[in-house]
Amino acid sequence: MEKENTTKIKGEILLGIIFALELYALPVQFYLLLKNPEFTFFSAAVRFLSFFTITTNTIVFICSALLLFGGRSTANAFFRKCTTITAITVYILIVGIVFNLLLRPVLDLQGHHLIVSEIFHTVVPILFFFFWLFFVSPEKISFKVISYWLIYPIIYIIYTLVHGLATEFYPYPFIDATQLGFKTAMVNGVFVLVAFVVLSVILIYISKLRIKTKT
């Protein structure tokens, strides 16, 4: 019992760190956008939420907040499920992997832009993965749930392409239909979805291995 309590406390400390990082980085990133004179509050909000990085880190923030402070609410019960946390882990790891493999070499960020970028793309993905791996009790997860986990990235890709056609703004160069052509942007989007599937399979398999080691 004492070991379980210690583990729970460690998990809550890690969640608290994630929560604090997001509580700092999300408002700062929005403020940096709002400082640009070409944006109104509304247009800055739309641009802000057009990044998969932002929407996913917002999900992580909501998840950590509810796990810490949600009590016995229905939302807390949903975000406490191993399936839910595993899906969020997939999303935030994709944020980190895509940025560090594809975007970091072409970006030159400075100051607060650099700080919040590292929080969003490196620190939070690693910490949330550690939380999932060490402090979330593994459950049997069917590979069939991956089709449900893909709903969020599919909706995001469709929104990005439609929004881009209307505004000519694309948050990521690999899905920029103006520069690459719509067909190439679509193909790149499919590759990203494949990455989601592969990472989902890996995490579900790890969860199954963790169950076996406990039995």
Side-chain angles (χ1 to χ4, degrees):
M1 181 65 69
E2 183 177 347
K3 184 178 179 182
E4 289 181 2
N5 288 336
T6 302
T7 301
K8 182 181 178 182
I9 291 171
K10 289 180 179 178
E12 289 180 347
I13 291 172
L14 183 53
L15 270 180
I17 293 171
I18 294 169
F19 173 80
L21 288 169
E22 297 286 25
L23 189 61
Y24 162 77
L26 287 167
V28 168
Q29 182 63 72
F30 183 67
Y31 172 74
L32 292 173
L33 264 179
L34 205 55
K35 280 177 62 179
N36 191 324
E38 72 178 74
F39 291 127
T40 63
F41 184 90
F42 177 76
S43 61
V46 172
R47 179 65 59 91
F48 183 68
L49 294 172
S50 293
F51 287 87
F52 189 82
T53 291
I54 298 299
T55 55
T56 304
N57 274 275
T58 301
I59 291 171
V60 170
F61 173 69
I62 293 170
C63 177
S64 60
L66 285 170
L67 293 182
L68 287 168
F69 313 116
R72 297 183 178 180
S73 65
T74 303
N76 179 296
F78 172 75
F79 279 100
R80 195 167 291 278
K81 290 180 181 178
C82 178
T83 303
T84 304
I85 298 178
T86 305
I88 295 172
T89 304
V90 171
Y91 301 148
I92 197 65
L93 285 178
I94 286 291
V95 167
I97 291 168
V98 170
F99 177 84
N100 285 286
L101 288 182
L102 301 179
L103 302 176
R104 183 182 291 278
V106 301
L107 294 176
D108 182 22
L109 302 174
Q110 305 292 332
H112 287 294
H113 290 283
L114 176 61
I115 294 171
V116 296
S117 178
E118 291 302 330
I119 290 173
F120 288 148
H121 300 110
T122 304
V123 181
V124 166
I126 291 173
L127 292 183
F128 200 81
F129 174 72
F130 284 164
F131 173 73
W132 172 80
L133 186 62
F134 296 113
F135 301 107
V136 176
S137 298
E139 297 175 5
K140 289 184 178 179
I141 303 174
S142 170
F143 289 108
K144 294 179 181 178
V145 301
I146 295 175
S147 60
Y148 296 103
W149 293 358
L150 286 175
I151 293 173
Y152 165 46
I154 287 173
I155 290 174
Y156 174 80
I157 289 172
I158 292 172
Y159 162 78
T160 299
L161 290 173
V162 173
H163 181 254
L165 287 174
T167 64
E168 296 188 348
F169 169 74
Y170 296 90
Y172 303 107
F174 54 83
I175 203 170
D176 188 337
T178 301
Q179 297 295 324
L180 303 174
F182 194 80
K183 182 178 179 181
T184 301
M186 281 287 292
V187 170
N188 289 344
V190 170
F191 278 122
V192 172
L193 291 177
V194 170
F196 273 102
V197 173
V198 171
L199 189 57
S200 296
V201 169
I202 291 172
L203 263 61
I204 291 174
Y205 184 69
I206 291 173
S207 189
K208 291 179 183 293
L209 288 179
R210 290 178 65 207
I211 293 173
K212 287 183 179 179
T213 58
K214 285 192 172 185
T215 56

